Every structure is written in structure tokens, then in C-alpha cells.
Amino acid sequence: MSDATREAMEYDVVIVGAGPAGLSAAIRLKQLDPSREVVVLEKGSEVGAHILSGAVLDPCGLDALIPDWKDKGAPLKTPVKQDNFYLLGEAGRLRVPNFPMPPLMNNHGNYIVSMGNVCRWMAEQAEELGVEIFPGMSCSELIYGENGEVKGVVAGEFGKNPDGTPGPAYEPGMELHGKYVFLSEGVRGSLSKEVIAKYDLSAGKEPQKFGLGMKEIWEIDPEKHNEGEVTHTMGWPLGGNAGGGSFIYHLENNQVYVGFVVHLNYKNPYLYPYMEFQRFKHHPMVAELLKGGKRVAYGARAISEGGYQSMPKMVAPGVALLGCSVGMVNVPRIKGNHNAMLSGKAAAEAAHHALEAGRSSDELSAYEDEVRNGAIGSDLKKVRNVKPLWSKYGLGASLAMGGLDMWTNTLGFSVLGTLGHGKNDAEATEPASKHKPIDYPKPDGKLSFDRLTNVSFSMTNHEESQPAHLTLKDASVPISVNLPKYDEPAQRYCPAGVYEVVSEEGKDPRFVINFQNCVHCKTCDIKDPSQNINWETPQGGDGPNYPNM
């Protein structure tokens, strides 16, 4: 629809995504110059709708951006009071003591938060400064200038028929032009992916690595609740099948965040990440905690895990990538929100100085320099070898050698240098003939649940009459290639039951995409071994609507 006639609006900076990175950039731009014209576009129905509650937040990013956040009522109410690490076996656990861990692993001074509520609060701060925020506004296209620079986005296009043609209620949307465009879409955003490919921003970098994070919010028996307790586990049920682990965070109101992460570089195509999560909750330690409680929300998202050596170049003419669009998660800490905030602040400062100097639509190299050589780079460089050690040599080596490497990096050097990741996650998938199917227990409906029931707790909705935002490059590949070679792993790696292979008597198998179920985790775009699935941004307001809690 690039030939549609659209109205255009001009801004100094156009920001795509109202997560912690995008909102930090907007706030900082207005702090530096209240007259600056700044707009934030958010595809969720409201700010925070696509951010499932539950994280441990290092407040250093907020400290740098809004030093008086406590006085302004930021929703950081639950300081971490207790930090537990366990190695799990099927029926038991081994406590890993805190004292041998590097100082960077300490959660003292951090807070258990709902990032959805933190972003809602940040949006209020931004609007008070004069930032325009438009929720329910997906950005469907990038707009390029005469010299190949990014000059804006198309936002608010609605009403297409399933075949992509304009429907009776079609709205072409608007063009929003900026002297600079910031992409803070989160992991594997469709516009960011386009920019990285167009300008070859990953050249010379290690492939980005990912994990699938699944999360449930539970209300539990008050007698079992311990506000401020943080627990992380590794080991069972994944064992040697995949890397990953769990987290259990006790926040206020007798609620706990129960999460499970599976590294997407697993080899066995029969692995079923969602069912590994459900099985985890039957471990005696977890089952006892959740017994008598109730699950109140569910969601999933991909997590960038490549770290320091996988960050692409972050700038191209007219555009900058922020936060998880680059990949700024500290994997052993399972934290990235603080770096997202710092990246937004750094991008805003670089753009401010450029605009003050009369520049526009060029590369904000000062932003890239600050990220790589400042606080974000320092945070990620210290832990850069943990993920490749885990991927290549397993959990034991990651704990031993990774811990030692983090200690030496804390002292300013590394005996390992910088390790590479090797294959991307799609390439890591091996043929089904090399593996055996995994027998997963049936969900009991009390501690564990089937996928479609859980998806209903994400309040996900997509208008069925719109074009599917999940498309195949070659419609024949799922049945002709992926099914015989890999037993079509899309049936299992998707945490929302989007993909099915339907077999009916007397008919050839067919591949079905139930895009209405999609929770926007983007795992399919990452893990499909044939790289045949493309996740595109659906129309604004669609997708999950995570609860405000």
C-alpha cells in the first residue's frame, strides 16, 4: 500500500514503541529542550498492554533519567529482600550459596516490578512534559528519503481485507516524518529487522541469540507468600535438552511471577518449551508454593541473549535502534530494562546535540559510542562469555567457567577473551531422525494448563478479517521440508498454539496458521529451521492485552 495517499505530520523525533527504551528517549528529549516535537507510537491498545508484568528492575536507568522518581510516585514498591539460587533435580534441589557469585549478580537495591505499570507511569511523565503518545498505532512501513535515509513511518493503517487489498472501512494511516527515527520495538521488531538487513548492520557481528520466556502471574496462599523474595533455578526439567531456567518473584498483594526461559538454540526438534514450563511447576518446591493458588495471567516473549558481541551497528542514516531492538539483556542477571532506559537516554542526548548543531537524518554515531563504551557496554562486556560457554559446553561449564570469567572481568580482564556464538538458533535445530520424541505429562488443570486455555489469560485478540501478520515465504515448506525433516517443530516451539499440522483421513497433511492466537513472542520468526516464517506488525491494538496489575 505504499502508493496510498496519506497526510503527513512533521516531528523532530519519531519513536516507535512505548517500552522503557522509547519512553526514556522521549522523556530525555523533552528534558533537554521542552520545545522539541516528539511523538511515540505504540502498537498495543494502551501503553503496557504488550508488556506482561514481572521483572526485577535495576533502578540505575531510572536514577539517571528521573533522579526523583520516588517522589514522583514511580511504581517500584517491592525491594528485593531475599535472593535464592537452586539447581533442581526431578524431586530435589541444591541451594547455590550467594557468596561465591560475582558482585554484579547481587540483587540488593533492585525492585520486583510490573514493567507494564512502570511504562504506564513513564508515559504519564512523558505526557506531562509534552510528548505526544498514540497507542493502538502500529507502524506498518518505513519511509525512506531521496538519499536512502529513514525519514519516517506509516502509522495507523487499518481495514485491509485478508488478501491485503483495501476493505470498505480502509484507513490508509498517516506518514509521520522525523529528523530522526528511533526504533524501540523490542525483540525482533519487523521495522528493526528491515533496517538491519537494508544497511547490513550485523556485518562483522556474532549472530543474535534468543530465549523464549514464558510467564504466569499467580495469586497464592498468604501463608506461603514472602514479599521481596527472588528465586532463580537451573537444571530440571530441561537437563541436557536445552539451556534455560526459571524465576519466581514475590511481589505485593500475595502475587508471584512464575517464569521459565528456554534458550532457542536447542537441537532436538521434539522439544516443547511450553510443556517444559508446565512440567516445571510440578517440581515439589514449586508445586507446594502454588498449591491452593490461582493463575491470573499468562504471556510469552522472545528474549535477546547474544549480548555484547551480537549487538549490531545501532545507527544508520536517520535511524537509531534502541533497547531490545539491539539486544541489551544481561543474560546471567536476566535483566535488560535498565539498559533499555539508558539506551533511550543516550539516543536522546545524541539526537539533541545533532539537532542543536543543525543536523538531521544522518548517523548518530555519538549514540553508538556511548552504548558500546559507556555503562551499557560495561554491563554487557563483563558477562559476554556466559552464554557461549553455556551453549557449547553445558550448564556446569557455564556455572564454573562463566562465574570465573565474570569475576575476572569485574577485575578488568578476561582469560577467555570474547567467545563467539557460532550458529544462529534456527541453524542449531537438528533433524528429527537424530532424536527421540519427548513424552510430556498431560496438564492437570490445577498447576499446569494446555496452551489454548493459557492463551485466553493473555486477553489476546486479532481482528479475523485483517491480513494474517504471520506469513510464509514458501507455503509448501512446512509440509514438504519441515514435516519430514524436523517433524515440523512450529507445532511445539510456539507458546500460543498458532501452528498446527492437520492430518485428515484420505487427505494430505496441511499446515494451519491460527494467527488470532499470537501473543507476539516472535519465536517462529527466530526458530523456524527453514527461516520460512515472517512475523510482521499487525494492525494497532491487536495482540495481547496484559492486565494492569
Side-chain angles (χ1 to χ4, degrees), residues 198-382:
K198 178 178 177 64
Y199 298 104
D200 199 18
L201 300 185
S202 290
K205 311 296 183 184
E206 285 293 310
Q208 186 59 266
K209 307 292 285 184
F210 298 92
L212 170 59
M214 298 156 285
K215 189 183 305 177
E216 295 173 356
I217 305 175
W218 281 70
E219 292 178 358
I220 65 169
D221 183 343
E223 295 295 319
K224 301 176 184 178
H225 187 256
N226 183 23
E227 185 173 314
E229 180 179 344
V230 166
T231 296
H232 292 99
T233 78
M234 294 172 285
W236 190 88
L238 291 173
N241 286 328
S246 82
F247 56 88
I248 302 173
Y249 304 152
H250 292 242
L251 69 161
E252 61 265 24
N253 301 322
N254 300 316
Q255 289 189 334
V256 293
Y257 301 134
V258 182
F260 198 79
V261 178
V262 178
H263 299 172
L264 289 177
N265 62 347
Y266 60 83
K267 298 177 181 179
N268 185 352
Y270 292 115
L271 189 83
Y272 195 162
Y274 175 83
M275 289 306 299
E276 296 287 350
F277 176 31
Q278 299 307 303
R279 183 161 62 166
F280 158 75
K281 290 181 291 176
H282 286 273
H283 188 276
M285 179 186 78
V286 187
E288 179 57 32
L289 175 70
L290 300 181
K291 184 179 179 181
K294 64 176 182 178
R295 159 216 47 181
V296 296
Y298 165 75
R301 58 161 291 187
I303 303 167
S304 58
E305 295 185 336
Y308 185 81
Q309 56 270 60
S310 295
M311 292 192 297
K313 185 180 177 184
M314 301 161 214
V315 295
V319 66
L321 307 180
L322 277 55
C324 281
S325 294
V326 175
M328 298 182 180
V329 171
N330 183 312
V331 171
R333 297 183 75 198
I334 321 180
K335 291 180 180 63
N337 289 306
H338 63 299
N339 285 335
M341 292 179 183
L342 291 172
S343 77
K345 178 176 178 288
E349 290 169 352
H352 170 74
H353 292 306
L355 292 167
E356 287 286 288
R359 294 161 44 203
S360 66
S361 299
D362 57 357
E363 293 192 3
L364 293 172
S365 57
Y367 163 59
E368 175 126 9
D369 291 342
E370 171 59 27
V371 169
R372 294 195 185 276
N373 301 313
I376 298 172
S378 176
D379 183 53
L380 297 179
K381 197 170 185 180
K382 292 175 184 176

Side-chain angles (χ1 to χ4, degrees), residues 515-534:
F515 76 90
Q516 300 91 341
N517 294 353
C518 178
V519 294
H520 297 194
C521 75
K522 305 169 191 167
T523 300
C524 54
D525 196 296
I526 297 163
K527 186 59 178 172
D528 177 50
S530 298
Q531 289 292 273
N532 188 51
I533 299 175
N534 189 44

Side-chain angles (χ1 to χ4, degrees), residues 392-517:
K392 293 179 180 180
Y393 305 112
L395 176 58
S398 175
L399 287 173
M401 292 300 296
L404 176 62
D405 192 61
M406 283 191 287
W407 265 112
T408 60
N409 272 286
T410 301
L411 299 174
F413 69 96
S414 171
V415 295
L416 299 177
T418 299
L419 301 178
H421 293 300
K423 299 177 180 178
N424 66 36
D425 293 330
E427 294 168 338
T429 313
E430 293 182 343
S433 60
K434 292 186 175 183
H435 299 275
K436 295 180 179 179
I438 301 172
D439 184 22
Y440 290 100
K442 184 178 179 180
D444 67 357
K446 297 176 182 178
L447 290 176
S448 51
F449 312 97
D450 67 83
R451 277 187 300 190
L452 295 186
T453 299
N454 239 356
V455 168
S456 71
F457 280 77
S458 69
M459 304 301 176
T460 292
N461 180 64
H462 293 86
E463 174 56 51
E464 294 187 18
S465 63
Q466 68 178 299
H469 65 282
L470 299 162
T471 58
L472 302 176
K473 298 173 185 176
D474 183 339
S476 70
V477 164
I479 300 303
S480 66
V481 178
N482 284 0
L483 186 60
K485 188 171 183 179
Y486 303 103
D487 196 44
E488 185 45 88
Q491 303 174 89
R492 292 173 292 277
Y493 59 58
C494 174
V498 169
Y499 302 101
E500 293 181 273
V501 174
V502 177
S503 299
E504 299 172 307
E505 188 174 352
K507 297 181 180 180
D508 292 333
R510 57 191 174 90
F511 190 63
V512 177
I513 302 176
N514 304 299
F515 76 90
Q516 300 91 341
N517 294 353

